[in-house]
């Protein structure tokens, strides 16, 4: 059986984005954050997903510089926070992020949430960063179809990625279809539903059949579903466990069983309810 999964997703501008990376939300203890990020890089994680609001961009920069992996061999994403949106503010926020990271470019920069009054201007600024070659690829996060339609109607450069909450209890089928039809790759945030799926009986049974943990089954489900996945852990053993997902394959039936767990259940805010 072919167990291989392409390790990157080709974005519509030709950039190869790793399908797997480390999410670093809530890694705020400086020492533990750098240690976890470094452990992930040394364990072969090719990507890190941060954001200005996570307050750990400096730690990301430090971990990358103290690792044995070259900056250009890693894919680093950050995001402009809600209170920094708008054209000029976004350009300033990007510069501040880059400074905190200590890098001269980012691999991907996203609008964190579609704040109704400002998300279109924010994306216009992000396009400028792309034109100026300060970012290798651009996109959005927490954008619904109606937000994307507005952006697509005016964009010179279509978003390459939409990062949304997605896991077996929130499978987001219609938005996934819309993004696929428009060449927008999807990154799943809270891919493990923040740990709340980890005693789910269907997943436990599938895990037992493969000798894998529930977290590994869920990460494999994201990968086999053509999604980009960024599980977060500060725990070294879990960082290794979450990356050990390439030696087994979920059957079509198992994939369908996992798809069937959908309840349209969110761990986070609904994108249409965000204010700031
Ligand atoms: N764009 C957006 O608005 C958002 C983006 N994100 C991004 O997505 C990333 C991932 O989402 P996040 O919300 O962090 O949640 P996840 O679904 O990745 O779950 C993280 C939680 O699961 C635990 N965990 C991880 N691996 C295992 C394992 N193998 N066994 C048991 N428990 C495990 C972690 O514990 P521990 O760390 O203690 O090991 C942590 O409590 C974020 O870090 C961030 O980068 C997240 C939310 C919103
Ligand atoms: O990225 C994020 C991490 O989680 C936060 C709390 O749910 C979100 O608001 C934010 O978008």
């Amino acid at each position: 059986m072919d167990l291989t999964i392409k390790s990157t997703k080709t974005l519509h501008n030709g950039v190869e984005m790793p399908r797997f990376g480390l999410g670093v939300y809530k890694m705020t203890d400086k020492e533990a954050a750098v240690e976890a990020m470094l452990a992930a890089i040394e364990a072969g994680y090719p990507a890190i997903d941060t954001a200005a609001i996570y307050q750990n961009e400096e730690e990301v920069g430090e971990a990358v510089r103290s690792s044995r992996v070259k900056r250009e061999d890693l894919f680093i994403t950050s995001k402009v926070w809600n209170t920094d949106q708008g054209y000029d503010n976004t350009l300033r926020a990007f510069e501040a992020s880059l400074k905190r990271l200590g890098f001269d470019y980012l691999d991907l920069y996203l609008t964190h949430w579609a704040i109704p009054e400002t998300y279109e201007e924010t994306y216009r600024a992000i396009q400028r960063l792309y034109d100026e070659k300060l970012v290798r690829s651009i996109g959005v996060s927490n954008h619904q179809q109606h937000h994307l339609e507005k952006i697509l109607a005016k964009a010179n450069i279509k978003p390459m990625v939409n990062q949304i909450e997605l896991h077996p209890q929130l499978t987001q089928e219609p938005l996934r279809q819309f993004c696929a039809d428009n060449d927008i790759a999807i990154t799943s945030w809270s891919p493990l539903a923040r740990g709340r799926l980890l005693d789910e009986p269907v997943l436990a049974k599938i895990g037992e059949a493969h000798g894998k943990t529930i977290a590994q089954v869920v990460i494999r489900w994201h990968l086999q579903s053509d999604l980009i996945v960024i599980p977060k852990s500060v725990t070294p053993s879990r960082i290794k466990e979450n990356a050990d997902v390439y030696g087994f394959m979920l059957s079509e039936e198992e994939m369908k069983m996992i798809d069937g767990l959908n309840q349209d259940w969110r761990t986070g805010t609904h994108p249409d309810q965000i204010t700031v």
Side-chain angles (χ1 to χ4, degrees), residues 25 51 53-54 79 81 112-113 142 189 194 267-269 274:
Y25 176 52
I53 196 71
Y54 302 168
K79 317 180 192 92
W81 185 240
H112 209 135
W113 292 84
N142 299 303
W189 67 250
R194 296 196 165 147
T267 69
T269 310
I274 198 84

Side-chain angles (χ1 to χ4, degrees), residues 23 29 32 74-75 99 101 117-118 120 128 132 144 151 189 214 217 238 247 251-253:
D29 176 83
L74 293 165
F75 190 101
K99 195 166 167 204
L101 285 155
E117 302 75 23
T118 47
E120 291 181 78
R128 174 167 159 181
E132 290 180 352
Q144 300 285 82
I151 298 263
W189 67 250
I214 289 186
V217 168
R238 290 175 175 172
S251 67
E252 225 171 281
E253 194 192 342

Side-chain angles (χ1 to χ4, degrees), residues 41-254:
I41 296 170
E42 301 288 348
Y45 279 60
I48 296 182
D49 180 85
T50 185
I53 196 71
Y54 302 168
Q55 298 186 3
N56 56 21
E57 291 174 311
E58 284 175 10
E59 286 78 357
V60 172
E62 194 179 320
V64 169
R65 280 184 292 280
S66 52
S67 80
R68 280 169 291 187
V69 179
K70 289 195 215 126
R71 164 69 187 95
E72 60 268 33
D73 293 332
L74 293 165
F75 190 101
I76 310 294
T77 300
S78 193
K79 317 180 192 92
V80 52
W81 185 240
N82 303 345
T83 46
D84 287 328
Q85 288 198 15
Y87 191 84
D88 291 336
N89 284 349
T90 298
L91 298 178
R92 271 195 291 272
F94 175 80
E95 208 181 313
S97 279
L98 215 51
K99 195 166 167 204
R100 283 191 292 270
L101 285 155
F103 297 157
D104 51 14
Y105 72 97
L106 270 182
D107 296 281
L108 177 64
Y109 197 52
L110 307 175
T111 308
H112 209 135
W113 292 84
I115 301 301
E117 302 75 23
T118 47
Y119 74 97
E120 291 181 78
E121 278 300 282
T122 300
Y123 188 73
R124 204 163 67 78
I126 290 179
Q127 287 184 127
R128 174 167 159 181
L129 298 170
Y130 183 77
D131 283 336
E132 290 180 352
K133 299 199 177 354
L134 292 165
V135 283
R136 294 179 61 231
S137 43
I138 57 176
V140 296
S141 174
N142 299 303
H143 280 42
Q144 300 285 82
Q145 180 171 333
H146 66 94
H147 300 121
L148 291 170
E149 281 166 346
K150 281 258 177 74
I151 298 263
L152 289 169
K154 290 195 194 147
N156 301 322
I157 306 146
K158 289 197 302 184
M160 286 131 210
V161 173
N162 188 14
Q163 183 180 123
I164 55 175
E165 182 176 351
L166 202 158
H167 45 71
Q169 290 182 339
L170 180 68
T171 55
Q172 300 259 31
E173 298 292 347
L175 186 51
R176 275 160 76 181
Q177 189 56 56
F178 179 83
C179 288
D181 292 344
N182 286 281
D183 276 336
I184 301 172
I186 292 193
T187 301
S188 306
W189 67 250
S190 291
L192 304 172
R194 296 196 165 147
R196 274 171 267 188
L197 284 174
L198 299 179
D199 53 7
E200 208 295 321
V202 170
L203 297 173
K205 201 161 168 233
I206 295 173
E208 266 168 40
H210 291 277
K212 291 285 169 184
T213 65
I214 289 186
Q216 289 168 324
V217 168
V218 172
I219 293 166
R220 183 76 197 187
W221 171 83
H222 286 275
L223 293 173
Q224 288 187 214
S225 303
D226 197 30
L227 298 160
I228 296 159
V229 62
I230 48 168
K232 175 261 175 185
S233 178
V234 277
T235 316
S237 60
R238 290 175 175 172
I239 288 172
K240 284 208 186 86
E241 175 188 326
N242 294 348
D244 181 15
V245 289
Y246 296 96
F248 75 112
M249 174 101 145
L250 298 171
S251 67
E252 225 171 281
E253 194 192 342
E254 288 168 331

